[in-house]
Amino acid sequence: MTEPIACVLDKARPEDVVTSPFPHLVIEDALPEATYRRLLDTRPEFEHVAWKGRMPSNRRVPYPAKRILEDPALDPVWPAFCRRHVLPDVFARVADLFRPHLERWHPALARWLDEGGPRRPGLLDADGFEDCDMLADARLELNTPVQGRPTSVRGPHLDLPNRLFSGLYYLRKPEDDTPGGELRLFRFRNGQPSHATAYAIPDDLVEAVRTVPYRGNTLVLFANSPHAVHGVSPRAQSPHTRSYVFLTAEIGHDLFGPNHNGGLHNAAMPS
């Protein structure tokens, strides 16, 4: 593509942020329809990103930006989209949208931003924290068709504690009429975060507060915190692949959890 590609955050405003059960926003029709349709129509399938043959049921299969940028078989819209969404200004925009919440939950991170933020950004799976102070990704994720009984690809959980934000940009095929696959947002029943580094949080510790439909050209975005519990509702048996682009950025230090040192001290941040 020769023309600049839009960013899925172009329509987002601070007043769009909803605080319950944790700060997040939902943007519908995030990209121009023509861009969205081209992404959807040229989306690589399971056999391209994984292997040929029988697919496992309802399995998450990632295709990171590093591989997309190196893949000559893809339509040019895909590397253009990924290249646009791993730029440092994407994190700067997220930080502006969620600034009051960053100051509350991660004050040292807010101070780091005030001092200029990341000076050596890089790409996940391509670079490392020995050379970079932030690594971004814009990876395609496929959830394979569901065989047999309804299942959830991922129940309630917290993201990696060194992750700065999580964004899911949905790419739903028009013919996909499968019930389920929505994003569920939870809160802890007793109000106190726990299981900060566990792969899964027991269902009896949380309750669902909001369900965001799995709808094409929709962005769901939230800043990471020990309260940002989320998961995916079960999908019924289906021949369809659930797909989205996962937007994120990580740093080399935990924001919360047992390895968190009480703050991202300036001396500990790469410069």
Side-chain angles (χ1 to χ4, degrees):
M1 296 185 69
T2 56
E3 68 276 10
I5 197 163
C7 177
V8 295
L9 292 173
D10 285 348
K11 294 182 179 180
R13 304 169 300 169
E15 53 265 38
D16 296 325
V17 175
V18 178
T19 58
S20 178
F22 54 82
H24 67 280
L25 59 81
V26 177
I27 302 296
E28 297 181 352
D29 300 320
L31 286 183
E33 181 67 16
T35 304
Y36 169 68
R37 293 299 310 183
R38 187 167 170 183
L39 285 166
L40 186 66
D41 291 344
T42 62
R43 186 201 74 190
E45 300 295 341
F46 176 85
E47 292 80 5
H48 186 87
V49 306
W51 64 84
K52 294 182 179 180
R54 183 176 176 82
M55 290 183 287
S57 177
N58 207 15
R59 178 80 59 83
R60 181 179 65 89
V61 181
Y63 199 52
K66 176 183 183 296
R67 293 179 62 189
I68 292 173
L69 293 171
E70 297 172 345
D71 190 341
L74 295 179
D75 186 284
V77 72
W78 275 97
F81 177 89
C82 288
R83 195 175 294 112
R84 174 65 189 92
H85 289 88
V86 297
L87 293 176
D89 75 302
V90 172
F91 171 57
R93 181 74 175 124
V94 173
D96 286 342
L97 290 167
F98 292 96
R99 186 54 187 257
H101 313 290
L102 292 179
E103 291 175 346
R104 178 182 179 189
W105 298 115
H106 310 305
L109 177 61
R111 290 196 298 272
W112 180 54
L113 293 170
D114 287 339
E115 294 169 2
R119 294 180 175 87
R120 296 180 298 163
L123 186 66
L124 271 170
D125 295 324
D127 302 307
F129 290 118
E130 64 274 10
D131 300 312
C132 302
D133 53 3
M134 185 184 75
L135 301 177
D137 201 3
R139 60 179 177 260
L140 173 66
E141 297 200 344
L142 305 178
N143 298 158
T144 58
V146 181
Q147 305 161 21
R149 64 181 180 83
T151 59
S152 171
V153 71
R154 191 82 192 270
H157 66 281
L158 289 167
D159 282 345
L160 295 172
N162 71 322
R163 185 168 289 166
L164 296 170
F165 67 92
S166 294
L168 294 90
Y169 176 64
Y170 289 137
L171 298 160
R172 184 171 189 165
K173 295 280 189 178
E175 63 270 21
D176 182 0
D177 57 356
T178 310
E182 302 116 340
L183 187 69
R184 286 178 170 172
L185 309 182
F186 299 87
R187 66 179 169 216
F188 287 98
R189 292 183 185 276
N190 65 2
Q192 297 300 316
S194 62
H195 294 68
T197 58
Y199 180 80
I201 296 176
D203 290 343
D204 61 353
L205 294 183
V206 295
E207 57 185 348
V209 174
R210 183 176 185 183
T211 298
V212 181
Y214 169 49
R215 181 180 295 131
N217 203 10
T218 295
L219 172 72
V220 188
L221 180 75
F222 56 89
N224 198 16
S225 82
H227 292 270
V229 183
H230 57 287
V232 182
S233 66
R235 273 197 303 153
Q237 184 175 353
S238 173
H240 300 292
T241 296
R242 179 177 179 267
S243 63
Y244 55 93
V245 177
F246 183 66
L247 308 174
T248 193
E250 299 177 4
I251 56 175
H253 307 273
D254 287 352
L255 295 170
F256 55 87
N259 296 322
H260 177 48
N261 63 8
L264 293 172
H265 303 298
N266 292 335
M269 295 298 296
S271 60

